[in-house]
Amino acid sequence: MASGKSSKAGRGKRAPAVRVKSTPWGTIAAVVVVVVFAAAVFGYAFYQNRQQSKQADALAPFTPTAANQDPSKAIPGVITASFQAGQHVTPAQRVAYTHFPPFGGAHDYNWAACNGVVYPTAVRSENMVHSLEHGAVWIAYDPARVNGEALNALRTRADGKPYTLMSPYPGLDQPVSLQSWGHQLKVSDTADPRIDQFIQALRRNQYTYPEVGASCDALGPGQFDPANPPAFEASPPGPGAVPELGANGPAAAGEQLRPPAQGGSG
Amino acid sequence: MTGATVDPAAVTEPDSAGWARSPGWARYLVVAGGAVALLLLGAAAGMLIGLPGSGGRAVPAADSVDVGFAQDMSVHHEQAVRMAIWERDHTADPQLRQLAFDIESGQSRQIGYMQGWLGLWGASSQATGGYMRWMPATNMPGTADMPAMTGMSDGHDMDSAATHPGMSRMPGMASESELRELTSSTGPALDVLFLRLMLRHHEGGRGMLSYAETHAQEPEVRNMARQMLSAQTSEADYMRQLLAARGATPLPPG
């Protein structure tokens, strides 16, 4: 537009007075084309960068780094506890957990498949806790309060996402509870931005889970079968249960880790 | 160009004459436009060049603790993965099968981290020559008991790294004859031998892990060494319990 305007003005004044070569329109046009082209390239790249970083920016402060090893400290409402890793029980045993849902402590030697599985029914906690030790985030919800669109909103965060698993947890005191090894966050709304912040901060966070590199895959029937997982047990664990922090003494361990009956993961 | 401006009558060069006679605003437009074009092109190019993480830190050198640890611990892990795959496929005990799968998959991923670093650092994936040259001989636990140890450099300069030719076998590594014994065993005998070899393997790696935990330059490497050390320590406790439950005892360090 600018060139059109100036060309009129230029022609009006100039053409009759000087009969030789007039304004170098070719050069001007070429420069304008280059400028427009460069502006388009630059503008496009700038816009793309902005769009990409806008989304990343919201979660950037929650990305674990060597300098910020546990970004969940900046998320209001996260509670933490410290557990010794590698305390195993057999499929026949129970653990006397003190948090509901539990987020660390002794666990079944079979971990629950945590490779993006959305369990339709509640699963035995002893298996779920082992998945947390492997770096997974467990999204638990109260089936009495979360359903429909809200349930779908949760499901998209777990379904097919490696190192994520989701299940109902009957009797949960909040609609949603997120677990990572040693960390828990309970929220009442599935649209709460802290859900994604928690996942970003703790899923496979190399500084916060005990077994870096451990798998979320299951070995199937006879071990942990994601198609037929051991069911959640609502009854109290009873006096014979293993303490949450593990039965670490050698005598207790020998008792505890007697080779189990074959195929007893259910 | 300059000549044309000095002598307006010289019309032999039509282009420069036209340029000379064009009004001031047109010249400014062309010059300004050209400048803007150059700036934009430069900015676009700079954006492309600057995109992948600018301002990197120094890459660990070929003789660094970081490189040596990543190379040697990869070899150490490879044998654990090899034994674990065998156990997973041949044990009849679900508890052992799960443990073997855990070691196999976990240590395979850890090898992935270490090999990825070596690739980014432009280092070779495996050391040629003796193992553990990146750490001082005095930090090698049980070196006196190691029959497979090659000659150390006359006992001099034992305190500093890279002054000894290294070891032909790392602590905890099973010999080929032990591996043959493992693969020819079955049933409870296989489980017990697997536990004994893997426990000794875990224990043998401790020296390298604790040295790298404190001496590697990269924070990720130090963290990985620390994580491996604590995970393998609790796994070793677990294996000791499993051995005891089977009425078996650990092997001596080696």
Side-chain angles (χ1 to χ4, degrees), chain B residues 120-169:
Chain B
L120 288 173
W121 299 337
S124 75
S125 69
Q126 203 173 323
T128 308
Y131 295 115
M132 298 167 74
R133 279 171 297 168
W134 48 277
M135 55 188 281
T138 46
N139 283 69
M140 298 177 187
T143 44
D145 304 317
M146 284 289 297
M149 211 175 142
T150 58
M152 309 293 275
S153 57
D154 314 306
H156 298 300
D157 292 333
M158 297 287 268
D159 286 339
S160 54
T163 53
H164 58 80
M167 309 171 78
S168 61
R169 206 180 97 201

Side-chain angles (χ1 to χ4, degrees), chain A residues 6 14 18 20-21 23-25 27-28 31 34-35 38-39 41-42 45-46 49 66 84-85 88 109-111 134 163 204 206-207 209-215 217 219 222-223 248 253 257 259-260 262-263, chain B residues 11 14 18-19 21-23 25-26 29-30 33-34 36-37 40-41 43-44 47 51 88 92-95 97-98 101-102 105-106 109-110 113 219-220 223-224 226-227 230-231 234-235 238 241-242 245-246:
Chain A
S6 53
R14 165 91 16 136
V18 186
V20 230
K21 307 287 176 190
T23 315
W25 294 117
T27 310
I28 292 175
V31 167
V34 170
V35 169
V41 168
F42 180 78
F46 188 74
N49 258 10
Q84 157 113 44
H88 288 178
Y109 63 69
N110 292 311
W111 59 90
H134 286 203
Y163 292 85
R204 294 184 90 181
Q206 61 175 322
Y207 303 103
Y209 77 100
E211 233 184 289
V212 170
S215 174
D217 297 321
L219 287 173
Q223 311 279 148
N248 221 357
L257 294 162
Q262 294 286 313
Chain B
V11 283
W19 170 256
R21 289 172 192 202
S22 43
W25 62 263
L29 179 69
V30 170
V36 170
L40 281 168
L41 283 171
M47 191 179 252
L51 278 182
R88 166 162 82 105
D93 184 331
Q95 192 163 13
R97 186 179 301 122
Q98 197 71 25
F101 178 45
D102 202 3
S105 51
R109 279 192 184 78
Q110 290 171 358
Y113 281 100
E220 283 80 4
N223 178 64
M224 180 64 77
R226 181 176 64 81
Q227 294 280 46
S230 73
S234 38
E235 210 160 63
Y238 180 49
Q241 294 165 14
L242 293 173
R246 284 158 183 76

Side-chain angles (χ1 to χ4, degrees), chain B residues 72-87 103-104 107-108 111 131 169-180 182 194 197-198 200-202 254:
Chain B
D72 288 355
M73 192 49 75
S74 289
V75 174
H76 206 264
H77 271 33
E78 291 288 358
Q79 190 184 65
V81 170
R82 177 177 167 190
M83 294 193 290
I85 287 175
W86 187 270
E87 173 72 5
I103 293 171
E104 170 205 341
Q107 298 215 359
S108 296
I111 291 169
Y131 295 115
R169 206 180 97 201
M170 288 179 272
M173 293 289 279
S175 66
E176 283 301 316
S177 68
E178 286 170 327
L179 292 173
R180 272 194 300 277
L182 180 77
F194 169 76
L197 291 176
M198 190 61 81
R200 189 185 66 183
H201 198 273
H202 274 32

